[in-house]
Amino acid sequence: MPFTKNIIVTGSSGQIGQAFVRHLSQSNEGYYIYALDKNKFKNNKKNIQNIEIDITKEDEVLDFFSDINELYGLVNNAGIGVFTPFLSRTLEEFKNVLDVNLVGTFLMTRESIKIMIKKGHGKIINIGSIYGINSSDFRIYGESGRNNSEVYSISKSGVIMFSKYLAAHYACKNIQINTISPGGIKKNQANEFIKKYNSKNPTGRMAVTRDLLPALDFLLDKKNEYINGENIVIDGGFTKW
Ligand code: NAD
């Protein structure tokens, strides 16, 4: 099958990004994936191009886009958090989180939409978080060192609103822009933390990356020309009570 639909995935070397890139590269939709990350991760498939880039640097982003003429989709997945308590937050930490989660997303999106307008279609998926709609519950995180920060929450609210704003402004150009907001993904968190998190989750477990894939497929589907500006929360019901 020819690879005719170019999709950019940022943060492609991370836990979720790797799962997205692997999944899209195996799809029958003819996707060609630009896997963007500031850290190298080698994908050896003919429909994946690995690109080392810092998405917060405008010159690097413009340089990357100078070679892109066709674009079907953009998945703004790169994101960082900070886990120290608010009262010890440094200005640098605060700015770094906003820089990657919002500035990087802004630069990638602006350049992508320019191409999508010319092509008459486009799908953008921004990765938010449940902590962009709710505060983290400190009773779960305790002393685990995994309690995400106020600035992470602000940045992810910003991502959700960014999607809505742009969805309203570019629907007329046949560009659909939605957010996927995952709950906590299982990695190698402490058992005590996992136990508490699971006990609050109606589904009784943390997410795994494959839980996000149906929504990714659904939002990228060419038949979707009407779901726009939504925030799909994938958390097993964690935020529902
Ligand atoms: P991760 O840390 O495993 O991966 C993030 C990737 O982004 C890394 O490979 C990193 O190198 C890359 N990155 C960071 N700054 C960058 C920059 N300036 N330029 C280019 N690449 C950069 O994180 P993850 O868990 O895979 O998270 C992916 C996304 O999902 C993030 O936006 C995160 O906020 C969101 N999210 C994660 C969870 C979770 O529990 N893991 C839950 C909700 C939302």
Side-chain angles (χ1 to χ4, degrees):
M1 123 138 16
F3 302 117
T4 52
K5 293 180 186 155
N6 292 347
I7 299 193
I8 299 168
V9 178
T10 68
S12 57
S13 304
Q15 187 186 16
I16 295 175
Q18 278 183 37
F20 282 178
V21 169
R22 199 180 318 115
H23 177 70
L24 294 174
S25 71
Q26 290 163 353
S27 136
N28 293 323
E29 293 294 325
Y31 294 140
Y32 182 88
I33 298 114
Y34 293 95
L36 270 55
D37 204 294
K38 70 179 175 103
N39 291 328
K40 211 174 193 149
F41 180 83
K42 216 163 160 21
N43 295 289
N44 280 326
K45 287 199 77 179
K46 61 176 188 274
N47 60 339
I48 303 175
Q49 195 177 138
N50 305 292
I51 290 160
E52 251 180 279
I53 178 175
D54 181 342
I55 58 160
T56 68
K57 303 272 188 298
E58 188 170 29
D59 54 341
E60 294 188 28
V61 171
L62 293 180
D63 189 44
F64 164 72
F65 276 98
S66 66
D67 285 335
I68 308 290
N69 299 309
E70 293 285 340
L71 191 57
Y72 179 81
L74 165 69
V75 184
N76 279 312
N77 166 70
I80 60 169
V82 60
F83 299 92
T84 43
F86 174 62
L87 294 180
S88 56
R89 178 82 50 254
T90 65
L91 181 59
E92 193 187 3
E93 285 171 338
F94 196 89
K95 284 183 170 174
N96 278 347
V97 174
L98 297 182
D99 221 22
V100 178
N101 298 5
L102 288 175
V103 175
T105 297
F106 149 68
L107 289 172
M108 292 301 302
T109 304
R110 186 188 67 193
E111 295 312 305
S112 294
I113 289 182
K114 287 179 188 168
I115 302 170
M116 290 171 174
I117 288 174
K118 281 194 205 142
K119 296 293 157 188
H121 61 84
K123 315 264 181 220
I124 299 179
I125 299 171
N126 293 320
I127 305 304
S129 164
I130 52 171
Y131 295 137
I133 55 169
N134 279 8
S135 172
S136 56
D137 182 342
F138 58 81
R139 294 167 303 182
I140 290 181
Y141 290 89
E143 301 301 314
S144 68
R146 297 302 305 165
N147 192 7
N148 233 315
S149 54
E150 78 303 326
V151 65
Y152 181 78
S153 283
I154 296 166
S155 73
K156 292 300 185 178
S157 303
V159 164
I160 294 164
M161 196 54 225
F162 190 52
S163 302
K164 287 192 201 179
Y165 181 95
L166 295 177
H169 285 73
Y170 292 102
C172 59
K173 301 289 182 192
N174 189 25
I175 301 171
Q176 293 77 40
I177 303 161
N178 292 287
T179 307
I180 290 175
S181 286
I185 313 276
K186 194 160 187 295
K187 207 175 179 184
N188 41 18
Q189 297 93 344
N191 283 341
E192 188 53 29
F193 163 74
I194 294 178
K195 240 167 72 187
K196 283 190 194 161
Y197 188 98
N198 290 353
S199 75
K200 185 176 165 166
N201 193 314
T203 308
R205 64 170 176 85
M206 298 191 78
V208 289
T209 52
R210 71 169 173 279
D211 291 317
L212 309 181
L213 303 178
L216 181 73
D217 288 339
F218 169 68
L219 292 175
L220 285 175
D221 193 312
K222 60 181 175 309
K223 291 195 286 297
N224 171 34
E225 294 191 341
Y226 212 65
I227 299 164
N228 206 5
E230 286 301 325
N231 178 27
I232 300 184
V233 177
I234 305 178
D235 67 352
F238 186 84
T239 50
K240 299 301 174 281
W241 59 8

